[in-house]
Amino acid sequence: MSDDDTTTMDDDESREQGVEFGEFEETMEEIDYPIDHDELVEQHGDAELELSGETTTLEEVLSPLEDNDQTYQDAGSLETMVMNMVSDEAIGREGYSDRGDEAQGAEDAEQESF
């Protein structure tokens, strides 16, 4: 496997529902939990996330959070909060799928088997 293949795989693994966590994916695992919201933003607020091709920071994503007393118990709870806070623009084109029609895919598979 070449380095390019590894990079692509890492990018796919750090992308979740339109959010590219990038280097912050690893950082989330290394944070000393539990961590309160203000401390998280102070220490990691400048971490860059990519939403549908646009770069933003963790602080910007979490800024609409009204409960500044929020405490993140683990990386999973932080990731869930980020996913809850991103707007629909992270998804890209709403209702669009590059996977094609399932029925068409089944027909294509049948034709290939002959």
Side-chain angles (χ1 to χ4, degrees), residues 64-78:
L65 186 64
E66 294 178 15
D67 182 9
N68 287 335
D69 293 332
Q70 171 71 36
T71 298
Y72 306 97
Q73 299 300 320
D74 53 32
S77 65
L78 174 54

Side-chain angles (χ1 to χ4, degrees), residues 99-114:
R99 296 186 177 147
D101 182 40
E102 286 182 33
Q104 180 65 39
E107 286 175 20
D108 290 345
E110 281 181 32
Q111 289 176 356
E112 288 176 9
S113 65
F114 288 108

Side-chain angles (χ1 to χ4, degrees), residues 3-35:
D3 288 339
D4 291 338
D5 293 340
T6 303
T7 301
T8 302
M9 209 157 124
D10 290 343
D11 289 347
D12 289 346
E13 289 174 2
S14 66
R15 181 175 297 281
E16 183 84 25
Q17 299 177 358
V19 178
E20 171 66 52
F21 287 92
E23 293 177 12
F24 188 63
E25 178 81 13
E26 188 174 315
T27 302
M28 280 195 302
E29 299 296 328
E30 297 172 355
I31 292 173
D32 187 25
Y33 294 97
I35 187 169

